[in-house]
Amino acid sequence: ERAEKLTATMPPRTGGPLAAIARRPAGADVVVLAHTGLEGMAGPKDLWRAVPFRHPVQVELWRCPGADIPDDPDGQLAWLYDRWAEVDTWVRDHARPV
């Protein structure tokens, strides 16, 4: 239901991020990264072939205090989707017009 509201990003793949959150040291902060300008690149080879970039690449990082991250799996999933909604908004506001 929340994924359907995303307009600029695909839904998050939750397995990796939730595993990392669950296994982080107690109280450790989490960094969330958003970017535009790398669309269509599937991996390092694509990135390397695109250098020099013809369009700007923009990156934004958010430091999320560990104390704000819930301890329970359902709370962590909700927290992740809240952050993803922020990423979606940032990407929508910063993406280069097509």
Side-chain angles (χ1 to χ4, degrees):
E1 202 174 285
R2 291 185 73 173
E4 291 177 359
K5 296 178 182 176
L6 301 173
T7 61
T9 62
M10 299 292 290
R13 293 183 176 181
T14 59
L18 290 176
I21 290 168
R23 290 174 178 83
R24 76 189 194 287
D29 296 347
V30 171
V31 175
V32 176
L33 180 145
H35 65 81
T36 63
L38 300 175
E39 296 78 11
M41 296 185 199
K45 287 182 183 180
D46 291 337
L47 187 65
W48 184 250
R49 289 183 192 125
V51 174
F53 297 122
R54 293 185 188 105
H55 306 287
V57 174
Q58 297 182 72
V59 177
E60 184 74 17
L61 298 165
W62 293 272
R63 181 179 176 190
C64 304
D68 294 348
I69 302 169
D71 293 327
D72 65 291
D74 290 338
Q76 291 172 353
L77 181 61
W79 179 89
L80 178 63
Y81 266 95
D82 289 345
R83 301 300 68 75
W84 206 260
E86 293 169 0
V87 168
D88 188 70
T89 298
W90 185 89
V91 169
R92 185 192 66 227
D93 292 348
H94 292 85
R96 191 173 66 85
V98 179

